Amino acid sequence: MKQAVHRQPLLLSSARHVLRSLGLTAVRTSSSITSYRLRRWAGTHNPAQPVPVEMARVLVDDNEELTDLRRRYQALVSPLRPGRFWRHNTRQRDFNLRYFRGDNAYVWQLRQLGENPRLKTYLYARYVAAMDERGLLGRLAEDGAFGCWTFGYRSLPLVSRDLLDSVNEIYFLDRHWGLLSREGYTVLDVGAGYGRLAHRMVEACPGLHRYLCVDAIAESTFLSRQYLRFRGVDDKAVVLDLDEWEEKAAAARPDLAVNVHSFSEMPMSAITAWIGRLARLEVPALLIVPNEGADLLSHEDDYARLDFSPVLAEHGYSLAASEPIIRDDDVRELTGLRDHFLLFVRSGADGRGTGLSPT
Protein backbone atom coordinates (compact mmCIF):
# COMPACT_ATOMS: atom_id res chain seq x y z
CA MET A 1 0.00 0.00 0.00
CA LYS A 2 1.37 3.41 -0.95
CA GLN A 3 1.99 5.57 2.11
CA ALA A 4 1.54 9.31 2.39
CA VAL A 5 4.95 10.91 2.77
CA HIS A 6 5.39 14.17 4.67
CA ARG A 7 8.68 15.92 3.94
CA GLN A 8 10.05 19.37 4.70
CA PRO A 9 10.97 21.46 1.64
CA LEU A 10 14.53 20.62 0.57
CA LEU A 11 15.99 24.01 1.51
CA LEU A 12 14.40 23.99 4.96
CA SER A 13 15.42 20.37 5.56
CA SER A 14 19.03 21.11 4.56
CA ALA A 15 19.14 24.19 6.75
CA ARG A 16 17.93 22.21 9.75
CA HIS A 17 20.53 19.52 9.10
CA VAL A 18 23.30 22.14 9.16
CA LEU A 19 21.89 23.70 12.32
CA ARG A 20 21.76 20.35 14.07
CA SER A 21 25.39 19.68 13.23
CA LEU A 22 26.28 23.01 14.88
CA GLY A 23 24.23 22.33 17.99
CA LEU A 24 21.61 24.88 16.96
CA THR A 25 17.90 24.58 16.42
CA ALA A 26 15.58 26.67 14.31
CA VAL A 27 12.82 28.71 15.91
CA ARG A 28 9.78 28.83 13.64
CA THR A 29 7.18 31.58 13.60
CA SER A 30 4.34 31.19 11.08
CA SER A 31 5.80 29.38 8.07
CA SER A 32 9.40 30.58 8.00
CA ILE A 33 12.52 30.36 10.12
CA THR A 34 13.16 33.74 11.70
CA SER A 35 15.74 33.19 14.43
CA TYR A 36 18.03 30.60 15.99
CA ARG A 37 18.90 29.61 19.50
CA LEU A 38 21.42 27.29 21.11
CA ARG A 39 20.03 23.79 21.58
CA ARG A 40 21.48 22.05 24.64
CA TRP A 41 21.25 18.32 23.97
CA ALA A 42 22.36 17.38 27.48
CA GLY A 43 18.89 18.13 28.84
CA THR A 44 18.20 19.88 32.14
CA HIS A 45 17.18 18.65 35.56
CA ASN A 46 16.02 20.09 38.85
CA PRO A 47 18.86 19.74 41.39
CA ALA A 48 16.63 20.48 44.41
CA GLN A 49 16.32 16.82 45.44
CA PRO A 50 19.50 14.73 45.76
CA VAL A 51 19.40 11.27 44.24
CA PRO A 52 18.71 8.69 46.99
CA VAL A 53 21.96 7.04 48.02
CA GLU A 54 20.80 3.52 47.23
CA MET A 55 19.76 4.60 43.73
CA ALA A 56 22.91 6.65 43.11
CA ARG A 57 24.91 3.45 43.44
CA VAL A 58 22.76 1.72 40.84
CA LEU A 59 22.24 4.49 38.27
CA VAL A 60 25.72 4.37 36.76
CA ASP A 61 26.67 3.83 33.15
CA ASP A 62 28.73 0.70 33.86
CA ASN A 63 26.00 -1.05 35.87
CA GLU A 64 26.23 -4.76 35.01
CA GLU A 65 22.50 -5.15 34.36
CA LEU A 66 22.47 -2.14 32.03
CA THR A 67 25.60 -3.33 30.23
CA ASP A 68 24.01 -6.75 29.68
CA LEU A 69 20.76 -5.22 28.39
CA ARG A 70 22.69 -3.03 25.95
CA ARG A 71 24.61 -6.03 24.65
CA ARG A 72 21.49 -8.17 24.23
CA TYR A 73 19.42 -5.42 22.58
CA GLN A 74 22.24 -4.52 20.21
CA ALA A 75 22.59 -8.15 19.14
CA LEU A 76 18.86 -8.66 18.70
CA VAL A 77 17.73 -9.04 15.09
CA SER A 78 14.21 -7.68 15.28
CA PRO A 79 12.02 -5.15 13.44
CA LEU A 80 11.03 -3.83 16.88
CA ARG A 81 14.42 -2.20 17.35
CA PRO A 82 14.41 1.61 17.26
CA GLY A 83 15.27 3.71 14.25
CA ARG A 84 17.66 6.61 13.94
CA PHE A 85 15.60 8.88 16.19
CA TRP A 86 16.71 7.00 19.33
CA ARG A 87 19.98 5.59 18.02
CA HIS A 88 21.31 9.07 17.26
CA ASN A 89 24.05 10.12 19.69
CA THR A 90 22.40 13.44 20.52
CA ARG A 91 19.19 11.67 21.58
CA GLN A 92 21.11 9.35 23.88
CA ARG A 93 22.92 12.35 25.42
CA ASP A 94 19.62 14.12 26.03
CA PHE A 95 19.18 12.59 29.47
CA ASN A 96 21.30 12.00 32.54
CA LEU A 97 20.97 8.46 33.91
CA ARG A 98 20.62 9.66 37.50
CA TYR A 99 18.23 12.49 36.61
CA PHE A 100 16.03 10.59 34.17
CA ARG A 101 12.90 12.48 35.27
CA GLY A 102 14.32 15.84 34.19
CA ASP A 103 13.53 17.70 30.97
CA ASN A 104 14.87 15.21 28.46
CA ALA A 105 14.06 12.73 25.71
CA TYR A 106 11.42 11.04 27.88
CA VAL A 107 9.36 14.10 28.84
CA TRP A 108 9.83 17.60 27.45
CA GLN A 109 8.74 19.15 30.72
CA LEU A 110 9.96 22.66 29.96
CA ARG A 111 10.91 22.71 26.29
CA GLN A 112 7.40 22.07 25.02
CA LEU A 113 6.01 24.89 27.17
CA GLY A 114 8.54 27.51 26.04
CA GLU A 115 8.36 30.82 27.87
CA ASN A 116 6.53 31.20 31.20
CA PRO A 117 6.48 27.49 32.09
CA ARG A 118 5.24 28.22 35.63
CA LEU A 119 2.19 30.07 34.34
CA LYS A 120 1.44 27.50 31.64
CA THR A 121 1.83 24.64 34.10
CA TYR A 122 -0.61 26.42 36.42
CA LEU A 123 -3.20 26.65 33.62
CA TYR A 124 -2.71 22.97 32.83
CA ALA A 125 -2.92 22.04 36.52
CA ARG A 126 -6.13 24.02 37.03
CA TYR A 127 -7.61 22.31 33.97
CA VAL A 128 -6.75 18.85 35.37
CA ALA A 129 -7.94 19.83 38.87
CA ALA A 130 -11.34 20.82 37.47
CA MET A 131 -11.94 17.23 36.26
CA ASP A 132 -10.32 15.54 39.25
CA GLU A 133 -13.45 14.13 40.88
CA ARG A 134 -11.48 11.18 42.30
CA GLY A 135 -8.87 13.42 43.96
CA LEU A 136 -5.95 11.90 42.09
CA LEU A 137 -3.81 15.05 42.27
CA GLY A 138 -3.79 14.74 46.03
CA ARG A 139 -3.32 10.96 46.12
CA LEU A 140 -0.59 10.66 43.49
CA ALA A 141 2.04 12.80 45.18
CA GLU A 142 4.98 14.44 43.41
CA ASP A 143 8.33 14.63 45.22
CA GLY A 144 10.57 15.97 42.46
CA ALA A 145 12.89 12.95 42.70
CA PHE A 146 15.45 12.17 40.00
CA GLY A 147 15.60 15.69 38.61
CA CYS A 148 11.89 16.22 37.95
CA TRP A 149 10.92 19.88 37.48
CA THR A 150 8.09 20.75 39.85
CA PHE A 151 5.86 23.77 40.46
CA GLY A 152 4.16 24.77 43.69
CA TYR A 153 1.05 26.94 43.98
CA ARG A 154 -1.02 28.03 46.96
CA SER A 155 -4.21 26.40 45.74
CA LEU A 156 -2.74 23.15 44.38
CA PRO A 157 -0.47 20.32 45.47
CA LEU A 158 3.06 20.18 44.05
CA VAL A 159 2.75 19.28 40.37
CA SER A 160 4.91 18.22 37.43
CA ARG A 161 4.35 17.26 33.79
CA ASP A 162 4.76 13.64 34.87
CA LEU A 163 1.88 13.96 37.32
CA LEU A 164 -0.41 16.11 35.19
CA ASP A 165 0.02 14.06 32.02
CA SER A 166 -0.54 10.82 33.93
CA VAL A 167 -3.71 12.02 35.67
CA ASN A 168 -5.03 13.43 32.39
CA GLU A 169 -4.39 10.12 30.59
CA ILE A 170 -6.04 8.16 33.38
CA TYR A 171 -9.19 10.28 33.22
CA PHE A 172 -9.40 9.96 29.44
CA LEU A 173 -9.24 6.19 29.77
CA ASP A 174 -11.81 6.31 32.54
CA ARG A 175 -14.23 8.32 30.38
CA HIS A 176 -13.92 6.05 27.38
CA TRP A 177 -12.79 2.69 28.77
CA GLY A 178 -14.02 2.66 32.39
CA LEU A 179 -10.46 2.43 33.74
CA LEU A 180 -11.14 3.42 37.36
CA SER A 181 -14.19 1.21 37.82
CA ARG A 182 -12.96 -1.84 35.88
CA GLU A 183 -11.69 -4.94 37.72
CA GLY A 184 -8.95 -7.47 37.01
CA TYR A 185 -7.49 -6.03 33.82
CA THR A 186 -3.96 -5.99 32.43
CA VAL A 187 -2.29 -3.08 30.62
CA LEU A 188 0.63 -3.40 28.19
CA ASP A 189 2.73 -0.24 27.79
CA VAL A 190 4.69 -0.23 24.51
CA GLY A 191 7.51 2.30 24.79
CA ALA A 192 7.12 2.60 28.56
CA GLY A 193 10.13 4.89 29.03
CA TYR A 194 11.14 5.14 32.68
CA GLY A 195 7.78 3.80 33.90
CA ARG A 196 5.97 7.10 34.41
CA LEU A 197 2.46 5.94 33.61
CA ALA A 198 3.00 2.51 35.16
CA HIS A 199 3.84 4.11 38.51
CA ARG A 200 0.81 6.40 38.46
CA MET A 201 -1.68 3.84 37.20
CA VAL A 202 -0.77 1.24 39.82
CA GLU A 203 -1.38 3.83 42.55
CA ALA A 204 -4.57 5.24 41.00
CA CYS A 205 -6.41 2.15 39.75
CA PRO A 206 -7.58 -0.32 42.43
CA GLY A 207 -8.89 -2.81 39.86
CA LEU A 208 -5.62 -3.07 37.94
CA HIS A 209 -4.26 -6.62 37.97
CA ARG A 210 -0.99 -6.16 36.11
CA TYR A 211 0.86 -3.42 34.24
CA LEU A 212 3.43 -4.69 31.74
CA CYS A 213 6.21 -2.41 30.49
CA VAL A 214 8.24 -3.06 27.35
CA ASP A 215 10.65 -0.80 25.49
CA ALA A 216 13.16 -1.29 22.68
CA ILE A 217 15.68 1.02 24.39
CA ALA A 218 17.96 -0.79 26.85
CA GLU A 219 18.24 2.27 29.09
CA SER A 220 14.45 2.46 29.34
CA THR A 221 14.12 -1.18 30.38
CA PHE A 222 16.81 -0.67 33.00
CA LEU A 223 15.42 2.61 34.36
CA SER A 224 11.81 1.48 34.52
CA ARG A 225 12.76 -1.66 36.43
CA GLN A 226 14.79 0.35 38.94
CA TYR A 227 12.23 3.14 39.23
CA LEU A 228 9.18 0.94 39.74
CA ARG A 229 11.05 -1.04 42.37
CA PHE A 230 12.04 2.21 44.09
CA ARG A 231 8.41 3.37 44.09
CA GLY A 232 7.28 0.05 45.57
CA VAL A 233 4.86 -0.78 42.77
CA ASP A 234 6.80 -3.62 41.13
CA ASP A 235 4.39 -6.20 42.54
CA LYS A 236 1.90 -5.08 39.85
CA ALA A 237 4.14 -3.18 37.41
CA VAL A 238 6.34 -5.72 35.65
CA VAL A 239 9.12 -4.81 33.21
CA LEU A 240 9.63 -7.22 30.31
CA ASP A 241 12.91 -7.48 28.40
CA LEU A 242 12.63 -6.98 24.64
CA ASP A 243 13.98 -10.43 23.79
CA GLU A 244 11.36 -12.25 25.87
CA TRP A 245 8.39 -9.93 26.22
CA GLU A 246 5.96 -11.45 23.73
CA GLU A 247 5.64 -14.87 25.34
CA LYS A 248 5.06 -13.33 28.77
CA ALA A 249 2.60 -10.79 27.40
CA ALA A 250 0.68 -13.57 25.65
CA ALA A 251 0.34 -15.43 28.94
CA ALA A 252 -0.96 -12.26 30.63
CA ARG A 253 -3.55 -11.58 27.88
CA PRO A 254 -3.53 -7.72 28.00
CA ASP A 255 -6.87 -5.95 27.88
CA LEU A 256 -5.43 -2.57 26.90
CA ALA A 257 -2.23 -1.39 25.23
CA VAL A 258 -0.91 2.16 25.54
CA ASN A 259 1.63 3.98 23.42
CA VAL A 260 2.35 7.53 24.57
CA HIS A 261 4.62 9.56 22.26
CA SER A 262 6.45 6.43 21.17
CA PHE A 263 5.13 5.34 17.76
CA SER A 264 5.81 8.89 16.55
CA GLU A 265 9.51 8.28 17.20
CA MET A 266 9.71 4.99 15.28
CA PRO A 267 10.13 4.11 11.60
CA MET A 268 7.22 2.48 9.81
CA SER A 269 8.89 -0.94 9.98
CA ALA A 270 8.93 -0.88 13.80
CA ILE A 271 5.39 0.52 14.10
CA THR A 272 4.07 -2.16 11.75
CA ALA A 273 5.83 -4.86 13.75
CA TRP A 274 4.52 -3.61 17.10
CA ILE A 275 0.93 -3.26 15.91
CA GLY A 276 1.16 -6.69 14.31
CA ARG A 277 2.27 -8.13 17.65
CA LEU A 278 -0.63 -6.43 19.45
CA ALA A 279 -3.08 -7.89 16.95
CA ARG A 280 -1.50 -11.33 17.33
CA LEU A 281 -1.97 -11.00 21.10
CA GLU A 282 -5.59 -10.00 20.41
CA VAL A 283 -5.30 -6.85 22.52
CA PRO A 284 -8.82 -5.38 22.21
CA ALA A 285 -8.07 -1.69 22.92
CA LEU A 286 -5.14 0.61 22.15
CA LEU A 287 -4.45 4.16 23.33
CA ILE A 288 -2.07 6.19 21.15
CA VAL A 289 -0.85 9.70 21.93
CA PRO A 290 1.03 10.96 18.84
CA ASN A 291 3.55 13.80 18.69
CA GLU A 292 1.77 15.73 15.93
CA GLY A 293 -1.72 16.48 17.20
CA ALA A 294 -4.04 13.80 15.87
CA ASP A 295 -1.77 12.86 12.94
CA LEU A 296 -0.36 9.34 13.04
CA LEU A 297 3.09 9.80 11.49
CA SER A 298 6.20 7.65 11.67
CA HIS A 299 9.75 8.99 11.97
CA GLU A 300 11.89 7.50 9.21
CA ASP A 301 15.67 7.47 9.23
CA ASP A 302 15.67 9.95 6.32
CA TYR A 303 13.32 12.25 8.32
CA ALA A 304 10.30 11.40 6.14
CA ARG A 305 6.99 11.04 7.98
CA LEU A 306 4.66 8.25 6.87
CA ASP A 307 0.99 7.91 7.78
CA PHE A 308 0.61 4.69 9.78
CA SER A 309 -3.17 4.82 10.22
CA PRO A 310 -3.59 2.22 7.41
CA VAL A 311 -1.49 -0.21 9.47
CA LEU A 312 -3.98 0.05 12.33
CA ALA A 313 -6.89 -0.55 9.96
CA GLU A 314 -5.17 -3.55 8.37
CA HIS A 315 -4.89 -5.17 11.80
CA GLY A 316 -8.50 -4.48 12.74
CA TYR A 317 -8.04 -1.38 14.92
CA SER A 318 -10.65 1.35 14.42
CA LEU A 319 -10.89 4.73 16.11
CA ALA A 320 -13.41 4.70 18.98
CA ALA A 321 -12.61 7.99 20.76
CA SER A 322 -10.53 11.07 19.93
CA GLU A 323 -9.97 14.14 22.09
CA PRO A 324 -7.35 16.87 22.39
CA ILE A 325 -5.50 16.30 25.65
CA ILE A 326 -6.83 19.71 26.70
CA ARG A 327 -10.47 20.08 25.71
CA ASP A 328 -10.70 23.72 26.82
CA ASP A 329 -9.90 25.81 23.73
CA ASP A 330 -8.46 28.74 25.68
CA VAL A 331 -6.22 26.61 27.90
CA ARG A 332 -5.03 24.66 24.88
CA GLU A 333 -4.14 27.86 23.03
CA LEU A 334 -2.43 29.51 25.99
CA THR A 335 -0.34 26.47 26.96
CA GLY A 336 0.43 25.36 23.42
CA LEU A 337 -0.31 21.73 24.38
CA ARG A 338 -2.04 20.38 21.27
CA ASP A 339 -1.54 16.63 21.57
CA HIS A 340 -4.50 14.24 21.16
CA PHE A 341 -5.74 11.09 22.83
CA LEU A 342 -6.72 8.43 20.28
CA LEU A 343 -8.40 5.25 21.50
CA PHE A 344 -8.72 2.35 19.06
CA VAL A 345 -10.69 -0.87 19.45
CA ARG A 346 -10.08 -4.07 17.54
CA SER A 347 -12.84 -5.76 15.63
CA GLY A 348 -13.50 -9.31 16.67
CA ALA A 349 -12.23 -8.72 20.23
CA ASP A 350 -13.02 -11.65 22.50
CA GLY A 351 -15.08 -9.72 25.04
CA ARG A 352 -12.23 -8.22 27.02
CA GLY A 353 -13.10 -4.73 25.69
CA THR A 354 -15.84 -2.44 26.94
CA GLY A 355 -18.16 -2.90 24.03
CA LEU A 356 -16.93 0.34 22.51
CA SER A 357 -17.83 0.74 18.90
CA PRO A 358 -15.67 2.56 16.30
CA THR A 359 -16.57 6.16 15.52
Side-chain angles (χ1 to χ4, degrees), residues 1 3-4 6 259 262-269 271-272 275 286 288-292 294-300 305-315 317 342 344:
M1 177 178 292
Q3 300 289 343
H6 300 252
N259 183 278
S262 183
F263 283 157
S264 298
E265 299 171 354
M266 299 181 190
M268 182 65 75
S269 57
I271 296 170
T272 301
I275 294 174
L286 168 62
I288 300 177
V289 185
N291 283 353
E292 292 83 17
D295 293 333
L296 295 168
L297 302 177
S298 71
H299 195 291
E300 302 303 309
R305 314 304 299 275
L306 306 180
D307 177 13
F308 65 87
S309 57
V311 178
L312 290 160
E314 288 168 9
H315 288 88
Y317 285 100
L342 304 175
F344 295 83

Side-chain angles (χ1 to χ4, degrees), residues 80-141:
L80 303 178
R81 290 191 60 204
R84 180 174 181 174
F85 183 88
W86 269 96
R87 289 201 309 265
H88 199 281
N89 288 337
T90 53
R91 181 62 53 181
Q92 291 291 338
R93 290 199 304 267
D94 198 26
F95 66 92
N96 183 310
L97 201 60
R98 290 186 174 179
Y99 299 103
F100 57 88
R101 294 184 70 222
D103 180 272
N104 56 37
Y106 288 124
V107 181
W108 279 21
Q109 299 179 28
L110 302 181
R111 275 175 272 184
Q112 189 178 14
L113 293 175
E115 296 180 356
N116 300 318
R118 177 175 167 78
L119 174 60
K120 293 177 181 178
T121 301
Y122 176 76
L123 294 173
Y124 186 19
R126 294 303 307 179
Y127 169 80
V128 173
M131 75 172 76
D132 189 19
E133 58 186 24
R134 304 270 188 141
L136 297 185
L137 284 179
R139 287 170 46 204
L140 309 182

